Amino acid sequence: MQIPDFELYTPGLEAGWRKTRSEMALDNPHVKVERAHFITPNRSAEVPWMVVQRKAAVAVAPVLEDGRFVMVHQERLPVMQTMWEFPAGQIDTEVTRESIIHTVVNELREECGCVIDPDGGTLQPLGWYFPSQGFTDEIVYLFTAKPVCVVSRPQPDGSEHISDVRFVSAGELRGMIAANAITNALTLALYARIAAQGLAAAGGMAE
């Protein structure tokens, strides 16, 4: 598919910020923990901070031809809950537009068994967000994919477990959010971006 044009996040562009020194407290393939010291726009004395470094990631809201969202019921071990979420995953290579789109397409297929309709389907970038900016530099790129076609059962990798796939209207999703049935940041952030840009109505997503 054609790679859409969208902005990539570049850290360190805001004036007045400087990392003065750092050392790695933990370094493994999944997460790194850095002891760092910063000079900020409002503080000239060094500020110490522990920073968790994680790979960049993607989250995508798949939309069926009839406007319903596709969501997955996924186990999340740190909080010992199974959560309704949009498909998401980390980018395992250098972060480029191509690697971001490749990850989105792979996560659609692996987590909810969907592919973007080859006859007119689109992948729309919706910017990015920081899921927990107080302790980690992780960034998540947001997308909608519509329409998608369900072609298989989920095929998550060995470290994941997806127990169910559900199709929900925009109205049902709003109700789940209002009832606190949706509590994960990526789904809340992605739906907030969709709603703010008017896509739930303008895109013909079913109520």
Side-chain angles (χ1 to χ4, degrees):
M1 65 174 292
Q2 183 177 357
I3 303 297
D5 186 29
F6 57 93
E7 184 180 2
L8 296 178
Y9 167 69
T10 303
L13 293 183
E14 185 178 335
W17 287 88
R18 183 162 57 95
K19 185 188 294 185
T20 56
R21 53 197 171 102
S22 68
E23 62 176 339
M24 206 60 67
L26 174 68
D27 188 351
N28 70 40
H30 304 289
V31 66
K32 299 180 180 180
V33 179
E34 176 189 27
R35 295 189 184 97
H37 292 74
F38 299 89
I39 299 295
T40 79
N42 298 296
R43 290 181 280 186
S44 57
E46 286 187 336
V47 181
W49 209 258
M50 298 290 284
V51 179
V52 175
Q53 298 178 357
R54 282 176 54 84
K55 298 175 184 178
V58 302
V60 55
V63 185
L64 298 169
E65 183 69 42
D66 65 8
R68 288 179 297 169
F69 293 104
V70 182
M71 304 192 73
V72 298
H73 207 210
Q74 182 159 195
E75 291 183 349
R76 292 301 185 182
L77 300 178
V79 294
M80 295 189 292
Q81 289 188 22
T82 308
M83 297 184 166
W84 285 109
E85 304 179 356
F86 287 128
Q90 290 184 322
I91 302 165
D92 291 325
T93 60
E94 179 186 358
V95 178
T96 64
R97 289 178 182 85
E98 291 75 13
S99 66
I100 290 171
I101 298 305
H102 177 75
T103 304
V104 170
V105 171
N106 280 354
E107 294 301 327
L108 282 170
R109 187 63 180 261
E110 291 175 7
E111 293 203 350
C112 60
C114 289
V115 298
I116 300 171
D117 190 334
D119 298 321
T122 60
L123 191 60
Q124 182 171 350
L126 298 177
W128 63 77
Y129 86 106
F130 300 100
S132 192
Q133 69 281 1
F135 85 100
T136 178
D137 63 356
E138 181 183 17
I139 183 171
V140 182
Y141 289 90
L142 304 174
F143 293 85
T144 57
K146 60 180 182 180
V148 298
C149 307
V150 179
V151 297
S152 68
R153 293 185 57 81
Q155 300 171 341
D157 67 31
S159 64
E160 299 175 328
H161 181 79
I162 293 172
S163 59
D164 198 5
V165 176
R166 181 178 177 183
F167 307 147
V168 301
S169 70
E172 288 172 326
L173 180 54
R174 285 197 301 271
M176 294 170 72
I177 292 171
N180 206 39
I182 301 283
T183 54
N184 61 89
L186 72 87
T187 302
L188 294 172
L190 184 44
Y191 187 73
R193 194 66 56 87
I194 289 170
Q197 296 194 13
L199 298 178
M205 297 177 186
E207 292 295 310

